[in-house]
Amino acid sequence: MSTNNIHGFIYEKDANDIAVVTMNMDGSVNAMNAQYRKAMSETVDKLYSEVSLRGVVFTSAKTTFFAGGDLKEMLSVRAGEEEQQFQQIQLIKHDLRRLEQMKVPVVAAINGAALGGGFEICLACNHRIMLNHPKVVIGFPEVTLGLLPGAGGVVRSVHMLGMEKSLPHLLEGLSLGPKAAIEAGYVDTLVDDADGLIEAAKTWIKSHSDDWQQPWDKKHHTIPGGDIWHPKIISMLAIAPAALFKKTRGLLPAPERILSLVGDTLAVDFDTALRIEARALAYLITTPQAKNIITSMFIQMNAIRRDASRPKNIGPNVVQKLGILGAGMMGQGIAYAAAIAGIDVVLKDVTKSAAEKGKQYTQKMLDKGISKGQLTAQQKDDILQKIKPSDSYQDLIGCDLIIEAVFEDLALKTKVIAQAQEVVGEKVIFATNTSTLPITQIASSVLLPERIIGIHFFSPVDKMPLIEIICGERSSEQTLAIAFDFVKQIKKTPIVVNDSLGFFTSRVFGTFMDEGARLLMDGLDPVLIESLAKQVGMPVGPLAVQDEVSQELSKKAAATHREMGVFCSLGDNSANVKVSERLIKEYSRGGRYHGGGYYNYAEDGSKAIWPKLYSLYHKPEVEISYQDIKDRILFRQVIESLKCLQEGVLRSVADGNIGSLLGIGAPKWTGGYIQFVNTYGLDNFIKRCDELVSLYGERFVAPKIVVEKAAQHQYFD
Amino acid sequence: MSNTAYLYDAIRTPRSKGKKDGALHEVKPVALGACLLRELQCRHDLDTSYVDDVVMGCVMPTGEQGGDIAKTIVQFANWDESVAGVQLDRFCASGLEAVNLAAMKIASGWEDLVVAGGVESMSRVPMGASGGSWLNDPEISQYCTAVPQGIGADTIATLEGWTREDVDAYALESQRRAAYAQKNGFFDKSVVPILDCNNVVISSKDDFIKPNSTLEGLGALRPSFESLGAMGFDLLMQRKYPAIVKINHVHTPGNSSGIVDGASAVLIGSEKAGKDLRLSPRGRVVATAVLATDPTIMLLGPGPAARKVLARAKMQVSDIDLFEINEAFASVAMRFMKDLDISHEITNVCGGAIAMGHPLGATGAMLVSTLLDELERRNLKRGLIALCVGGGQGIATIIERV
């Protein structure tokens, strides 16, 4: 056996003249960085220099096969460096092209996750053998990061699978497990035994010595399903942009580029398509959208997952037994989330029947899972057994954490916590689930306030990935660590904020609804307001959202705030309150579940603007530019987020970005409401704020924190 | 004629080998055209809403070049949405036909500012892609005695007694002139670099020219149309020209026009348009002409068309300073010079399509920029452009500096 170690790749040629290249780069994963570029180039050189070679196997020494592009390296690329990027991508492609054009078979032995660039290496092999293990996945997640597979992933996918089959993988970026990878046509064989993987690859090489040519390099190769001249392709290409727009609303350049590139691939030869692909990736790398999405959804999300907002020096906690006070909508959702995470749950309500009813929700969700084939009857029984419905505080003894999830009423919440404390003792950690009530105030009314913390679940609990943990003034680090670990235990993403009126998410969300009400009061057509909010990238318009939240709730919250003397103390959301109160008082329109609000709701689920809204507010003569309307909707929320950072409600930029993206529907392209400012440009942002102030009022004043950062030429990180 | 059709500018893309390894293969035809419109807008700070129409020649208007590509180009260039666009096809004359039509639009007084040009990505939409019954429907082609143009070119050489050496010598001179003109920057004013989505240059100059051509090298190339002729086309030609003993197949890839990708655009407008938009005219269209001659040889139109346009302009051959004849084949250019009794010294002075290529629908308007640049450089007044055209047609245009 001959061995020649290239830095990062272990190169071994066996007695049968098969070279095994084991990728083992510096760091925890193999990635497409400078080290890779050198190692691959040297490897291909060496392979070409071999006198007798029967085949090549690519595999990895890591638990993953290859992690893909180096996103931190990409983030550092500035506008103006596109040409250098293009050349660099071309070099990467050049080596993969040389690899696949060798006259011996090359096999990828995929022993771990091969995503993005990692799977692009696999596609430049003649044959792909994958370890049949649930953790081994393949796929192209680039699109979810504002990028595209630029090392041949798009072009080879199209030439391998055809347009129709490859497009979903490229546009959705989902990871495929072994079975799905085979079905997709991306992988040729599965091997059950990790130790047998290399041997299987070698065996294939021995019996396929003639299979060294890629399909696309064979004479008379045609793209499966046809190229740009095929009538079926022509009609699919005509529809694809509209179908994509339905998903992206034209706000994300990456999927649009991918679709364009697929079209180009169908129109030109393989090598030309590869070159266009390089140009397209070089283009995307410097777009603000890619920078935003990578910064928040990759860098900052990973930091949060790695406990950036968790107190250090406190050991990990595991909740074995969870208590939940209140089996209403939130309580039952929390019970379900905890039970499927393997936690024993005591679901306590005033009556046994109410608690039982809360448990039924989990049963319903599990039945759904069974009907979809996602779990077995046995698994369902095991999970259901974890939830104990109860009407007695006694059952809560032994809980590691108790979540209070009763109605949003300060006195009631204080009362149930105090009652529970009497039975279980004051040392148990209590988390109070609220979206608006002050944690410090709740905590100060019970024993050991340092053991009380706020935990804001979003509705519906099973679908919403975010949890906002709110530290009261006296919540201890230990309490925070327990709450934080619990959130991760139930596989949600935690952000940590400090106690303040509306915390972070509800406060910012309030400005969205308020600006909607202000646009309405300015006389704009409600349909226009809703449409332009969606054009900015909001999932739904501010008026529809207000209907869901309900005008009744907004009115009630305002009343509570007035009582507490804090109404509009942090910002002026009075327009929304004013309209809500008027709609309820004069027209009994309290929201969707109160018979209608801004909209009328038909039995068939459809809705239409309540016609009276026009006679109340609409002034056809009012003209506000679309850009101003969109910016008002977006800037209100961004400004409020910056204020939260400035006031210390947000403890980190990452929490602000992830919280706004996952909790309140910040448009994905913004990378979150604070990251947005970075790529908009701090100076540009301040300038635009000034314009909006002069036209629409003081609520658009750029927060001091931006002005200071801009003066120091810093950005938010 | 009521209004003068002024030439405010004339630009073109580089021409590059029209095969998959050509530099412009990766650029879609719409992008080729749009790049020129953006350049016109940029050069003249053009208020595009002033433009009435964009007329683009394209000879294979199908696939990526289908669906009124001129209108698509207008939109992709992000011009004002009021601007119309029309694609036309008069075979190889399409680009010049666009110029002539634009001139007529202005002359009639019914429009004030028009872009005329053409686009052809021969690498992406190959010759023949759009079909056509003149070649592909046996009933029609038998009735019309359709014979491939190359055999027509060989027939001209045969009738004139031009040998392989004669046509190769012409081709060599085309290469020499084109290389010289390029080297000395004569094309720089009008050739617009093609950039990618990152503003990285894809192509900035004609790359089809072969400056190292030699007579020996050209002489070694195999005739292109010999086997086609042997299939029966020679006999079809001889039915029409029974005095020919044997067609001498002298044309090769070396002395025929090259297959390339490219686009062109000429900004043509009224005096009013110039005043309103502060444009200085570089020249004007004096007269245009189109006609048809024997469809079987197919390539005899340029001479008669030139005579026709001269008559229309009440001019003599001697009134013309420079000529541009599209070098579809060497024999076409040579026959044109013979028909008009003009010297090669004043014809295709910067070389032609044999050296630089003939992107079908774009060529005619490319010749306008080449001729206008050269008239300016030599400080001459008047030039005449002519092309042979499918079906035996001929087209000609006289332009002059103002």
Side-chain angles (χ1 to χ4, degrees):
Chain A
M1 184 180 281
S2 78
T3 302
N4 184 316
N5 285 351
I6 291 160
H7 186 192
F9 285 12
I10 303 163
Y11 185 107
E12 294 166 309
K13 201 170 99 174
D14 71 7
N16 293 314
D17 287 330
I18 293 173
V20 177
V21 180
T22 308
M23 298 181 287
N24 188 23
M25 296 173 59
D26 299 344
S28 57
V29 293
N30 299 315
M32 231 169 227
N33 53 23
Q35 191 191 11
Y36 163 84
R37 294 192 288 271
K38 187 159 183 287
M40 185 54 104
S41 185
E42 287 172 7
T43 300
V44 177
D45 284 347
K46 174 131 184 73
L47 288 169
Y48 269 92
S49 74
E50 294 285 359
V51 191
S52 58
L53 186 70
R54 286 186 66 189
V56 186
V57 180
F58 266 83
T59 191
S60 160
K62 314 280 188 190
T63 51
T64 56
F65 179 82
F66 197 100
D70 188 325
L71 291 170
K72 282 197 175 152
E73 190 182 284
M74 288 191 196
L75 266 190
S76 69
V77 179
R78 298 284 136 215
E81 295 173 359
E82 290 86 354
E83 181 158 13
Q84 177 267 331
Q85 279 300 301
F86 167 65
Q87 302 297 355
Q88 185 171 303
I89 299 163
Q90 283 289 80
L91 286 178
I92 292 175
K93 283 174 190 283
H94 177 66
D95 283 326
L96 290 177
R97 193 84 181 102
R98 285 202 298 152
L99 179 69
E100 73 180 353
Q101 289 184 321
M102 289 195 355
K103 291 191 165 48
V104 293
V106 181
V107 178
I110 309 168
N111 59 309
L115 296 170
F119 194 57
E120 291 181 293
I121 297 171
C122 300
L123 288 186
C125 297
N126 301 105
H127 192 72
R128 284 150 293 278
I129 302 179
M130 185 174 178
L131 179 62
N132 190 8
H133 184 280
K135 282 206 167 165
V136 183
V137 291
I138 57 132
F140 291 118
E142 285 87 343
V143 67
T144 64
L145 296 163
L147 303 170
L148 60 76
V154 174
V155 176
R156 288 195 178 86
S157 290
V158 172
H159 276 264
M160 241 178 97
L161 310 179
M163 179 194 111
E164 193 174 10
K165 283 189 182 159
S166 60
L167 211 46
H169 301 299
L170 299 168
L171 289 179
E172 287 159 31
L174 297 177
S175 297
L176 306 178
K179 196 168 156 253
I182 291 273
E183 279 167 11
Y186 269 133
V187 167
D188 302 292
T189 325
L190 300 182
V191 169
D192 291 329
D193 171 21
D195 296 332
L197 192 62
I198 304 293
E199 215 34 60
K202 288 181 174 179
T203 306
W204 189 87
I205 287 169
K206 284 173 200 160
S207 58
H208 292 81
S209 55
D210 292 336
D211 287 350
W212 50 265
Q213 200 170 30
Q214 294 283 41
W216 40 88
D217 284 327
K218 287 182 181 156
K219 229 180 166 177
H220 308 304
H221 161 72
T222 55
I223 294 173
D227 65 11
I228 201 163
W229 295 94
H230 193 287
K232 198 175 159 204
I233 295 289
I234 289 170
S235 60
M236 283 193 291
L237 284 176
I239 295 162
L244 178 63
F245 182 85
K246 206 173 153 187
K247 288 184 183 159
T248 65
R249 289 190 202 133
L251 294 166
L252 299 171
E256 288 180 9
R257 279 277 152 182
I258 291 171
L259 184 56
S260 305
L261 177 58
V262 168
D264 291 334
T265 304
L266 297 167
V268 299
D269 63 291
F270 187 83
D271 285 304
T272 302
L274 283 180
R275 191 163 62 249
I276 300 173
E277 186 188 78
R279 297 188 194 282
L281 177 58
Y283 172 82
L284 286 176
I285 286 175
T286 61
T287 56
Q289 293 90 340
K291 300 257 181 242
N292 290 344
I293 295 169
I294 294 170
T295 300
S296 57
M297 292 309 286
F298 183 77
I299 306 284
Q300 295 176 346
M301 185 63 119
N302 278 348
I304 285 175
R305 284 192 184 131
R306 291 188 192 125
D307 300 344
S309 357
R310 184 188 185 278
K312 313 281 177 274
N313 308 321
I314 294 175
N317 300 284
V318 177
V319 172
Q320 307 282 358
K321 186 176 171 186
L322 175 74
I324 300 172
L325 304 179
M329 191 174 76
M330 296 310 287
Q332 53 190 241
I334 298 167
Y336 168 71
I340 58 171
I343 300 172
D344 288 318
V345 178
V346 178
L347 184 57
K348 195 243 164 232
D349 209 312
V350 182
T351 66
K352 193 75 184 281
S353 70
E356 291 279 4
K357 201 175 158 223
K359 182 177 172 175
Q360 275 167 24
Y361 169 79
T362 293
Q363 178 156 1
K364 206 179 77 193
M365 295 297 285
L366 295 174
D367 284 339
K368 243 190 240 173
I370 290 178
S371 69
K372 283 186 191 160
Q374 291 161 341
L375 79 169
T376 64
Q378 181 61 48
Q379 283 169 318
K380 174 191 152 186
D381 290 346
D382 292 348
I383 293 167
L384 270 179
Q385 273 187 3
K386 294 205 169 289
I387 303 178
K388 180 183 168 66
S390 166
D391 60 356
S392 159
Y393 286 114
Q394 292 295 329
D395 288 329
L396 297 172
I397 292 171
C399 282
D400 307 300
L401 172 69
I402 295 172
I403 297 174
E404 163 286 302
V406 299
F407 191 69
E408 290 276 64
D409 181 296
L410 200 116
L412 178 65
K413 284 181 183 288
T414 318
K415 193 181 93 185
V416 297
I417 294 173
Q419 282 173 349
Q421 275 186 332
E422 266 177 40
V423 179
V424 300
E426 66 273 15
K427 286 191 176 166
V428 177
I429 305 293
F430 277 85
T432 175
N433 175 54
T434 172
S435 58
T436 53
L437 296 174
I439 304 303
T440 307
Q441 206 169 329
I442 295 172
S444 65
S445 323
V446 296
L447 297 168
L448 289 187
E450 60 269 31
R451 305 220 160 194
I452 310 287
I453 198 160
I455 186 161
H456 175 195
F457 281 87
F458 293 77
S459 181
V461 177
D462 69 298
K463 289 219 174 71
M464 296 293 284
L466 187 78
I467 285 174
E468 184 178 29
I469 298 174
I470 307 105
C471 295
E473 269 169 31
R474 294 176 62 185
S475 306
S476 73
E477 297 279 274
Q478 176 74 34
T479 304
L480 171 57
I482 290 171
F484 194 95
D485 293 349
F486 165 72
V487 171
K488 287 181 71 179
Q489 208 180 334
I490 61 169
K491 298 187 172 64
K492 303 279 183 194
T493 303
I495 62 164
V496 181
V497 307
N498 287 328
D499 192 19
S500 169
L501 193 64
F503 321 136
F504 167 62
T505 54
S506 301
R507 176 170 163 185
V508 174
F509 195 57
T511 60
F512 174 45
M513 294 189 291
D514 186 66
E515 201 55 35
R518 284 177 198 270
L519 289 162
L520 185 72
M521 289 168 79
D522 283 351
L524 290 175
D525 183 337
V527 172
L528 188 68
I529 300 169
E530 300 284 84
S531 297
L532 290 174
K534 286 186 204 164
Q535 281 192 22
V536 175
M538 302 306 298
V540 273
L543 306 181
V545 150
Q546 174 63 72
D547 274 13
E548 299 294 330
V549 168
S550 90
Q551 281 76 356
E552 285 287 358
L553 188 71
S554 296
K555 183 187 154 195
K556 189 166 277 178
T560 309
H561 289 166
R562 284 197 186 99
E563 236 169 74
M564 292 161 63
V566 295
F567 180 65
C568 288
S569 59
L570 295 177
D572 185 3
N573 286 353
S574 62
N576 192 46
V577 174
K578 202 170 155 188
V579 178
S580 289
E581 286 175 346
R582 180 179 184 194
L583 256 58
I584 294 167
K585 192 177 168 205
E586 296 178 24
Y587 304 98
S588 304
R589 299 192 70 86
R592 177 170 190 167
Y593 295 100
H594 301 272
Y598 288 129
Y599 287 85
N600 281 334
Y601 296 86
E603 296 237 322
D604 63 1
S606 68
K607 62 181 177 184
I609 293 288
W610 175 49
K612 180 83 183 163
L613 212 50
Y614 282 92
S615 55
L616 290 180
Y617 294 106
H618 188 216
K619 297 179 203 128
E621 71 279 11
V622 170
E623 267 190 39
I624 300 180
S625 78
Y626 287 1
Q627 192 58 50
D628 280 8
I629 296 171
K630 290 199 272 191
D631 281 353
R632 279 174 62 171
I633 288 165
L634 184 60
F635 274 57
R636 264 309 283 285
Q637 301 180 78
V638 171
I639 288 169
E640 204 67 20
S641 299
L642 290 166
K643 282 189 190 163
C644 286
L645 191 64
Q646 181 175 301
E647 293 164 15
V649 176
L650 278 173
R651 294 172 157 208
S652 76
V653 170
D655 283 337
N657 287 329
I658 299 301
S660 58
L661 286 165
L662 268 50
I664 48 178
K668 187 180 174 181
W669 65 267
T670 62
Y673 284 145
I674 296 180
Q675 172 60 25
F676 165 75
V677 186
N678 287 339
T679 50
Y680 193 88
L682 273 63
D683 291 327
N684 292 338
F685 181 78
I686 293 164
K687 200 171 142 230
R688 183 64 177 143
C689 283
D690 290 345
E691 287 168 10
L692 293 172
V693 168
S694 66
L695 289 165
Y696 306 108
E698 293 297 307
R699 64 191 183 283
F700 291 105
V701 170
K704 211 165 65 217
I705 193 168
V706 194
V707 179
E708 287 166 3
K709 286 259 185 207
Q712 293 161 23
H713 304 290
Q714 291 177 336
Y715 57 96
F716 295 98
D717 60 357
Chain B
M1 209 162 289
S2 52
N3 290 312
T4 303
Y6 286 104
L7 298 164
Y8 287 108
D9 209 351
I11 57 175
R12 65 176 177 96
T13 68
R15 277 170 277 189
S16 192
K17 186 177 171 189
K19 291 280 154 62
K20 67 180 186 180
D21 56 345
L24 292 178
H25 179 53
E26 66 174 280
V27 184
K28 51 195 78 186
V30 169
L32 284 177
C35 129
L36 295 181
L37 294 201
R38 283 191 287 261
E39 174 72 13
L40 284 177
Q41 181 180 7
C42 190
R43 278 191 185 187
H44 302 288
D45 193 16
L46 195 66
D47 171 5
T48 60
S49 71
Y50 200 100
V51 176
D52 293 294
D53 201 2
V54 172
V55 186
M56 284 276 169
C58 180
V59 184
M60 295 299 146
T62 183
E64 294 181 85
Q65 291 178 171
D68 189 356
I69 191 172
K71 178 62 175 69
T72 314
I73 287 170
V74 168
Q75 280 181 252
F76 196 59
N78 198 26
W79 275 26
D80 192 84
E81 68 178 17
S82 65
V83 182
V86 63
Q87 174 264 326
L88 58 76
D89 174 15
R90 194 192 288 284
F91 299 122
C92 300
S94 300
L96 194 62
E97 178 62 33
V99 169
N100 292 356
L101 177 63
M104 293 177 208
K105 281 167 174 262
I106 303 304
S108 69
W110 287 346
E111 288 181 4
D112 278 310
L113 193 61
V114 177
V115 176
V119 60
E120 206 81 45
S121 176
M122 299 181 75
S123 70
R124 293 173 71 119
V125 187
M127 271 196 285
S130 69
S133 50
W134 68 303
L135 291 178
N136 298 337
D137 179 331
E139 184 190 356
I140 309 293
S141 60
Q142 288 176 101
Y143 184 80
C144 300
T145 316
V147 175
Q149 294 97 317
I151 290 171
D154 289 340
T155 305
I156 293 174
T158 306
L159 290 170
E160 300 294 340
W162 293 326
T163 64
R164 172 71 180 269
E165 289 68 33
D166 294 333
V167 287
D168 278 351
Y170 180 89
L172 186 67
E173 181 61 11
S174 179
Q175 293 286 1
R176 192 194 65 76
R177 290 181 182 190
Y180 181 81
Q182 183 181 55
K183 195 175 157 213
N184 287 283
F186 299 168
F187 301 139
D188 293 356
K189 189 155 126 193
S190 299
V191 172
V192 179
I194 300 293
L195 310 177
D196 76 357
C197 55
N198 304 302
N199 291 327
V200 175
V201 175
I202 292 175
S203 169
S204 61
K205 56 178 196 171
D206 297 310
D207 62 14
F208 197 77
I209 305 169
K210 294 164 187 70
N212 300 322
S213 297
T214 59
L215 267 186
E216 295 69 39
L218 289 169
L221 296 169
R222 289 165 51 85
S224 301
F225 307 101
E226 194 162 29
S227 55
L228 208 55
M231 283 175 190
F233 286 114
D234 281 357
L235 289 175
L236 278 169
M237 187 62 84
Q238 282 166 299
R239 182 175 73 183
K240 193 137 189 180
Y241 295 89
I244 296 175
V245 179
K246 181 182 179 296
I247 293 175
N248 186 13
H249 292 288
V250 296
H251 285 95
T252 69
N255 53 38
S256 308
S257 56
I259 290 172
V260 294
D261 299 336
S264 52
V266 182
L267 186 62
I268 302 175
S270 64
E271 185 180 359
K272 177 176 181 301
K275 279 196 177 129
D276 288 349
L277 301 178
R278 296 166 191 274
L279 302 169
S280 321
R282 293 175 62 190
R284 70 179 185 98
V285 177
V286 177
T288 75
V290 66
L291 49 65
T293 59
D294 166 34
T296 304
I297 285 189
M298 213 190 290
L299 308 169
L300 297 170
R307 294 277 178 207
K308 183 174 177 183
V309 77
L310 284 166
R312 176 77 61 193
K314 299 187 174 61
M315 288 179 185
Q316 312 293 320
V317 170
S318 58
D319 292 321
I320 304 297
D321 298 311
L322 295 174
F323 292 87
E324 281 291 329
I325 167 69
N326 184 37
E327 295 172 351
F329 301 93
S331 66
V332 171
M334 292 163 72
R335 172 69 184 253
F336 178 76
M337 292 189 287
K338 187 190 163 208
D339 281 354
L340 295 188
D341 191 20
I342 53 174
S343 148
H344 198 179
E345 289 308 306
I346 54 166
T347 308
N348 292 7
V349 292
C350 292
I354 289 172
M356 292 178 282
H358 170 27
L360 309 180
T363 306
M366 280 186 170
L367 296 179
V368 174
S369 72
T370 307
L371 182 58
L372 196 53
D373 286 350
E374 198 57 17
L375 288 171
E376 286 170 354
R377 198 180 69 80
R378 298 179 181 221
N379 198 21
L380 297 172
K381 182 148 182 87
R382 201 170 291 126
L384 185 151
I385 303 154
L387 296 92
C388 56
V389 190
Q393 300 173 90
I395 194 168
T397 303
I398 297 172
I399 62 170
E400 70 177 24
R401 288 173 59 215
V402 292

